């Protein structure tokens, strides 16, 4: 099949060294594989040695060292114990992966990759293909050409084994597609792609589980269409603050009455629900950066929902800190301190989203400028606040928060360096550290990375081939998101109704409102620059308030 | 972290302008080398900084772009803080993006250091479209506002390098000639931890000592 291929060996340097090197690589930022303890550290032992150019496709040829005997058990690797006393034998395999190709070749490669060593290809393809093709295009190519199981000239030439293998491959690909990306087939009212698939399955896989699943999906879609006419699927604003308003004059519970742990847990509960619902491929730069374009206002609703929740938390902090301008600085400082404690609890729960939201709110100008209030905040709380803020330092492109995410992404609990003594002294019962906790990332870092990756890498190579290498790189980020989403299932909190009611009742302040409220609390000095500040241009506010 | 001590200054430069004018593209072109460097291990990790040499001094340019974050409310508020340079970008093929330049300028001066070095950048990011903003007009406007001016093309990478270099050199000149206030110099050499104490100092500076 690949007879016509041309070998272009660029370099074979290092290929010898490869066979003996056995050092586990130091923690590498953004490698999703490092989050998974089951993956041996062999990632860097893969070395590209050349490129193969064919008609309509470019392949990368690399050597990879594969361990033949696994001396340590899974659990040992979990613990970081790698007793390498036994003999480890390594074998160097030649790896051939597609780098770029026409759509036809990329689809065809799904079938060949399954048998070969490029096992993640199908996953990456299904996750990213929407950036270069439609569902219909891919389905047509797959079903009409590369997955032809009906008696025809090509199939007849196959041996029975080959036929079985092709059947299994096709079944796995279609199964994965239906399982993970059923949304692709949501094309009301006629669902032509799904019907096309069902037709194919009825012919080639009659009576199979796959066929049943496809049919179930269709009836599910029919039901959903009915329901959707009645209500909106996703609530855009504060997904959990749906409770009715009881009028402003009723007695509201004071924010200080909520235990910081409860507040952090409630935020985490909300964040986890929204984060789990995020459709990872919507984060791709080519999709997310389209969000403000005309006619794309409803793009990526699941991401918008997490951003709304973030802004909701931010507003809640700002609003409570600026409430009641008659408060004495010392009393207002208690509110700030309370929020610092909530932030700290979020850190313990590894909820980086609300943690960042709270810190950003405390750092935003209207709250930040309240000097008299901050003067009343205890040293200890200031120190905690500063330590927490350092997590999101922009130094080295936010390397600290990235490292933390990798380190703690799927670990059991936060590795808190901030004052463990204090944590022990606290009265509340200690968290059960044997219970796995989830992690909620601040999605913004991923969004920026993906937008920048999309900007920096070409969609198509010079010859017009689809640059699949770009999709592989993007997928590394997507895979991190997916892993964290899985880990999020480990949170297990109960809703506290009183908190939801309270949260929904928090006054919504615009950028301008919070600034003027802040100035009422602590008036501006007469300096010219501050008068200018008071009259903030409306431009920036327009964009900030959704 | 502070492991990278091979530079004398860190300059924070912000990219502003309407969406779709090619800001992220400018950034990606300028920091390209470091972006692609060792792409196997550092995906996107160094796309926001690049070190350059000016008169035997190494300047680390830290370029801020709100790519993908525009909807996060409180995140963008930290954007202008500590910036010593700005590239105000418009698209020479989309007149509306040029009309909004003044609004961006006002916002910038409302929030940033008054000594900030600003360059007006007429960018062409789209292949097909035709120019709607004459060079002369933009140049005259820039001069009247005391801004540097350059036209770039992110398609052909024309002038991208020069635009950033000119801004960074100009900032360096200001810092070297002590034209800026003491406070601003400390803002230039970043690296302290963020926190209320430092921010309060800055705020006090702008209340009492600003020119």
């Amino acid at each position: 099949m690949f007879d016509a291929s041309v070998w272009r060996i660029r370099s074979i340097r290092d290929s010898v060294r490869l066979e003996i090197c056995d050092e586990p690589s130091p923690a590498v930022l953004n490698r999703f594989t490092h989050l998974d303890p089951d993956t041996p550290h062999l990632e860097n032992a893969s070395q590209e040695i050349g490129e193969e150019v064919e008609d309509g496709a470019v392949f990368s040829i690399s050597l990879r060292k594969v361990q033949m005997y696994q001396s340590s058990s899974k659990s040992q690797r979990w613990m970081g114990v790698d007793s390498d006393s036994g003999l480890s034998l390594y074998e160097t395999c030649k790896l051939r992966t597609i780098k770029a190709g026409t759509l036809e070749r990329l689809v065809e490669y799904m079938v060949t990759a399954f048998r070969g060593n490029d096992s993640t290809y199908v996953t990456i393809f299904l996750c990213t293909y929407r950036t270069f093709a439609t569902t219909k295009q891919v389905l047509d190519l797959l079903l009409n050409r590369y997955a032809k199981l009906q008696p025809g000239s090509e199939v007849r030439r196959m041996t029975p084994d080959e036929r079985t293998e092709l059947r299994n491959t096709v079944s796995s690909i279609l199964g994965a597609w239906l399982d993970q990306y059923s949304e692709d087939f949501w094309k009301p009212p006629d669902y032509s792609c799904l019907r096309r698939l069902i037709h194919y399955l009825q012919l080639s896989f009659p009576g199979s589980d796959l066929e049943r699943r496809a049919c179930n999906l269709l009836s599910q879609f029919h039901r959903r269409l009915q329901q959707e006419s009645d209500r909106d699927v996703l609530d855009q604003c504060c997904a959990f603050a749906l409770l009715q308003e009881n009028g402003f004059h009723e007695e509201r519970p004071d924010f200080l009455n909520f235990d910081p742990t409860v507040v952090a847990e409630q935020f985490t509960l909300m964040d986890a629900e929204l984060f789990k619902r995020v459709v990872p491929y919507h984060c791709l730069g080519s999709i997310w950066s389209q969000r403000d374009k005309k006619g794309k206002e409803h793009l990526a609703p699941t991401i918008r929902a997490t951003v709304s929740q973030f802004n909701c938390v931010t507003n809640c902090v700002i609003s409570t800190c600026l409430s009641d301008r008659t408060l004495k600085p010392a009393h207002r400082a208690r509110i700030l301190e309370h929020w610092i404690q909530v932030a700290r609890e979020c850190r313990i729960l590894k909820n980086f989203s609300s943690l960042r939201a709270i810190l950003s709110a405390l750092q935003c100008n209207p709250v930040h400028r309240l000097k008299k209030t901050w003067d009343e905040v205890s040293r200890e709380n200031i120190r905690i606040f500063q330590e927490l803020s350092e997590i999101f330092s922009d130094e080295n492109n936010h390397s600290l928060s990235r490292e933390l995410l990798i380190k703690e992404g799927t670990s059991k609990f936060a590795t808190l360096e901030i004052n463990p003594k204090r944590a022990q002294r606290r009265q509340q019962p200690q968290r059960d550290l044997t219970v796995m906790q989830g992690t909620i990332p601040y999605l913004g870092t991923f969004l920026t990375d993906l937008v920048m990756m999309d900007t920096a890498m070409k969609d198509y190579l010079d010859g017009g081939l689809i640059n699949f290498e770009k999709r592989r790189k993007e997928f590394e980020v997507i895979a991190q998101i997916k892993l964290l989403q899985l880990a999020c299932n480990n949170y297990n909190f109960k809703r506290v109704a009183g908190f939801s009611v309270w949260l929904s009742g928090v006054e919504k302040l615009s950028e301008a409102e919070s600034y003027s409220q802040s100035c009422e609390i602590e008036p501006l000095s007469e300096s010219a620059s501050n008068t200018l500040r008071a009259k903030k241009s409306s431009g920036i506010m327009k964009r900030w308030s959704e | 972290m502070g492991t990278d001590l091979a530079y004398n200054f860190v300059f924070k430069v912000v990219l502003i302008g309407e969406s779709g004018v090619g800001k992220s593209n400018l950034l990606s072109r300028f920091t390209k080398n470091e972006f692609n460097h060792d792409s196997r291990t550092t995906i996107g990790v160094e796309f926001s900084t690049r070190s350059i040499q000016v008169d035997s001094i190494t300047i680390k340019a830290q370029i801020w772009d709100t790519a993908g974050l525009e909807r996060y409310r409180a995140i963008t508020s930290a954007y202008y803080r500590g910036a010593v340079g700005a590239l105000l970008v418009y698209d020479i093929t989309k007149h509306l993006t040029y009309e909004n330049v003044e609004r961006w300028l006002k916002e910038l001066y409302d929030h940033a250091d008054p000594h900030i070095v600003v360059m007006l950048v007429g960018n062409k990011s789209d292949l097909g479209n035709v120019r709607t903003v004459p060079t002369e007009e933009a140049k005259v406007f820039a001069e009247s506002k005391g801004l540097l001016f350059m036209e770039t093309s992110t398609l052909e990478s024309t002038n991208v390098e020069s635009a950033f270099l000119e801004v960074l050199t100009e900032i360096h000149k200001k810092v070297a000639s002590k034209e800026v206030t003491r406070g601003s110099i400390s803002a230039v050499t970043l690296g302290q931890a963020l926190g209320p104490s430092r921010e309060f100092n800055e705020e006090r500076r702008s209340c009492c000592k600003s020119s």
Side-chain angles (χ1 to χ4, degrees), chain B residues 58-79:
Chain B
T58 307
I59 292 169
K60 184 163 162 181
Q62 193 183 55
I63 298 143
W64 283 47
D65 179 17
T66 51
L69 301 180
E70 292 81 355
R71 283 172 181 275
Y72 285 92
R73 203 178 138 190
I75 294 293
T76 35
S77 66
Y79 195 57

Side-chain angles (χ1 to χ4, degrees), chain B residues 31-90:
Chain B
T31 56
K32 191 163 132 212
N33 298 332
E34 288 175 60
F35 185 89
N36 284 334
H37 168 253
D38 198 9
S39 54
R40 267 171 186 278
T41 51
T42 53
I43 290 126
V45 160
E46 271 302 337
F47 56 71
S48 59
T49 58
R50 181 173 147 190
S51 295
I52 59 144
Q53 291 280 327
V54 176
D55 307 336
S56 79
I57 283 171
T58 307
I59 292 169
K60 184 163 162 181
Q62 193 183 55
I63 298 143
W64 283 47
D65 179 17
T66 51
L69 301 180
E70 292 81 355
R71 283 172 181 275
Y72 285 92
R73 203 178 138 190
I75 294 293
T76 35
S77 66
Y79 195 57
Y80 296 96
R81 223 174 257 164
V84 288
L87 269 71
L88 203 180
V89 191
Y90 66 92

Side-chain angles (χ1 to χ4, degrees), chain A residues 155-390:
Chain A
V155 181
R156 215 169 292 146
R157 256 189 268 122
M158 291 180 179
T159 66
D161 276 357
E162 281 175 337
R163 224 172 295 167
T164 317
E165 199 183 352
L166 182 62
R167 274 184 74 86
N168 290 342
T169 305
V170 169
S171 153
S172 302
I173 294 170
L174 294 176
W177 198 348
L178 276 176
D179 265 1
Q180 293 168 44
Y181 302 102
S182 57
E183 279 307 292
D184 288 4
F185 301 97
W186 172 249
K187 302 263 164 54
D190 55 345
Y191 310 103
S192 56
C193 285
L194 188 53
R195 283 182 197 282
R196 167 89 186 77
L197 179 63
I198 290 173
H199 179 72
Y200 168 87
L201 292 173
Q202 279 166 346
L203 282 175
S204 303
F205 294 86
S208 66
D209 176 55
L210 204 55
E211 185 199 345
R212 192 180 45 77
R213 267 150 64 194
C215 292
N216 280 349
L217 187 64
L218 187 61
S219 42
Q220 234 179 68
F221 280 167
H222 284 312
R223 258 177 282 137
R224 181 169 140 191
L225 192 64
Q226 212 121 49
Q227 288 166 353
E228 264 194 14
S229 52
D230 305 335
R231 58 173 177 84
D232 278 335
V233 195
L234 261 177
D235 193 6
Q236 288 288 316
C237 173
C238 271
F240 288 81
L242 309 161
L243 295 122
Q244 76 283 13
E245 290 207 32
N246 296 331
F248 313 134
H249 304 296
E250 235 166 85
E251 199 60 38
R252 274 173 55 73
D254 193 82
F255 165 60
L256 293 176
N257 291 343
F258 290 107
D259 189 293
T261 321
V262 172
V263 180
E265 284 178 358
Q266 291 302 300
F267 281 159
T268 304
L269 179 75
M270 298 170 188
D271 290 335
E273 279 313 311
L274 292 172
F275 176 59
K276 278 192 280 185
R277 263 191 257 162
V278 163
V279 180
Y281 76 81
H282 284 173
C283 299
L284 289 173
S286 56
I287 295 176
W288 179 238
S289 56
Q290 296 287 309
R291 69 196 176 276
D292 289 328
K293 296 263 161 68
K294 263 195 191 140
K296 306 258 173 119
E297 290 81 4
H298 299 293
L299 208 67
T302 54
I303 303 179
R304 284 172 203 263
T306 65
V307 179
S308 294
Q309 174 64 19
F310 184 98
N311 291 341
C312 173
V313 172
T314 304
N315 178 75
C316 178
V317 176
I318 296 174
S319 197
T320 47
C321 288
L322 300 177
S323 66
D324 190 359
R325 68 189 142 101
T326 58
L327 280 186
K328 294 247 157 42
H331 188 185
R332 197 178 303 284
R334 296 294 84 75
I335 301 176
L336 263 61
E337 287 180 340
H338 212 67
W339 277 119
I340 292 169
Q341 289 305 317
V342 176
R344 192 174 177 285
E345 292 297 331
C346 285
R347 171 69 189 93
I348 294 170
L349 295 175
K350 298 189 291 175
N351 178 352
F352 293 98
S353 188
S354 279
L355 172 61
R356 177 120 205 217
I358 296 167
L359 295 173
S360 308
L362 292 173
Q363 284 164 356
C364 84
N365 215 18
V367 177
H368 211 253
R369 61 177 291 285
L370 300 176
K371 188 180 179 309
K372 284 181 198 146
T373 304
W374 279 101
D375 281 348
E376 297 285 339
V377 174
S378 74
R379 262 162 192 261
E380 175 69 1
N381 276 303
I382 292 279
R383 201 184 52 73
I384 295 173
F385 175 63
Q386 281 172 339
E387 277 181 358
L388 291 173
S389 301
E390 270 169 44

Side-chain angles (χ1 to χ4, degrees), chain A residues 485-504:
Chain A
Q485 282 180 317
L486 279 180
C488 259
N489 289 319
N490 293 313
Y491 286 120
N492 188 18
F493 301 125
K494 298 235 159 29
R495 274 185 71 176
V496 175
F499 182 77
S500 312
V501 175
W502 175 82
L503 185 63
S504 65

